[in-house]
Amino acid sequence: GQTTRDAARAAAGGSALGINLSARMIGYARQAARRERIGNVRFEQGDAQIYPFGAGAFDVAISRTAAMFFGAPAAAFANIARALRPGGRLCLLTWQPLPRNEWIREIGRALAAGRDLPLPPPTAPGPFALSDPGRIRTLLAAAGFTGVETDASSGAMRIGHDADDAYRFLLGLMGWMLEGLDDHGRG
């Protein structure tokens, strides 16, 4: 809910709504908003693909690395487009293709421990589902968005406050890659 709380702070004369499938994430976001005394924000558990947003209810829709996990991105973007007022804007932050993500590529190679692990299909929900600017343009155009612009950006990636924090993050993100390895392979 950090992005939604930031949006609420920026929308002093308006409000922000955060949607997430995870009840746990919604609970955390609500607590954080109360703790930070942000009164113009609301969090709802739901699926952006089918959530009953009011038609034309929003000026802006934003997603920081969440839209790439949509199971049905065409449906989700069409639903979001209906929720935007005429002239409303959508801003997405997604990962670039795997070859441009050295950190995950190299960590993945290390965790594979010499095994050939298949990559998910490029359009399957996951970190790289919206990494192709052409696919993004096609999906958004089909949903009714116009003037779609993409911009590549790169920079340092911080994955934890310390080594233990980074380990927990990586284990949560890529721990599945250790399945099937013996103790020696896990070492």
Side-chain angles (χ1 to χ4, degrees):
Q2 181 66 54
T3 302
T4 305
R5 294 191 319 274
D6 290 344
R9 284 194 237 351
S15 63
L17 169 65
I19 302 290
N20 197 298
L21 288 171
S22 168
R24 191 170 177 194
M25 296 289 279
I26 292 297
Y28 178 85
R30 287 175 178 158
Q31 288 175 351
R34 281 192 295 273
R35 186 174 56 251
E36 296 169 14
R37 299 177 196 262
I38 304 171
N40 63 336
V41 67
R42 193 172 99 235
F43 294 96
E44 298 291 334
Q45 183 179 5
D47 184 341
Q49 299 167 129
I50 59 171
Y51 189 84
F53 298 112
F58 299 94
D59 295 320
V60 178
I62 58 176
S63 170
R64 185 183 72 182
T65 66
M68 54 203 188
F69 294 100
F70 288 156
F77 290 131
N79 193 36
I80 292 166
R82 281 189 296 277
L84 291 171
R85 67 164 172 75
R89 298 184 60 161
L90 170 66
C91 181
L92 302 173
L93 176 64
T94 65
W95 288 12
Q96 293 184 44
L98 181 60
R100 304 262 336 241
N101 283 276
E102 180 182 24
W103 73 277
I104 198 166
R105 187 181 67 239
E106 295 306 317
I107 292 168
R109 187 175 299 157
L111 292 176
R115 300 171 293 160
D116 278 333
L117 297 176
L119 292 174
T123 59
F128 305 107
L130 298 176
S131 65
D132 176 4
R135 180 164 192 250
I136 293 169
R137 285 187 203 96
T138 299
L139 284 166
L140 294 180
F145 289 95
T146 60
V148 175
E149 297 177 23
T150 62
D151 183 30
S153 179
S154 61
M157 175 79 177
R158 182 177 179 172
I159 57 174
H161 300 289
D162 56 33
D164 289 337
D165 194 27
Y167 173 78
R168 283 188 299 277
F169 171 79
L170 290 173
L171 193 58
L173 180 68
M174 302 175 78
W176 65 271
M177 294 182 77
L178 297 174
E179 291 176 14
L181 289 176
D182 59 19
D183 289 340
H184 176 72
R186 288 175 177 259

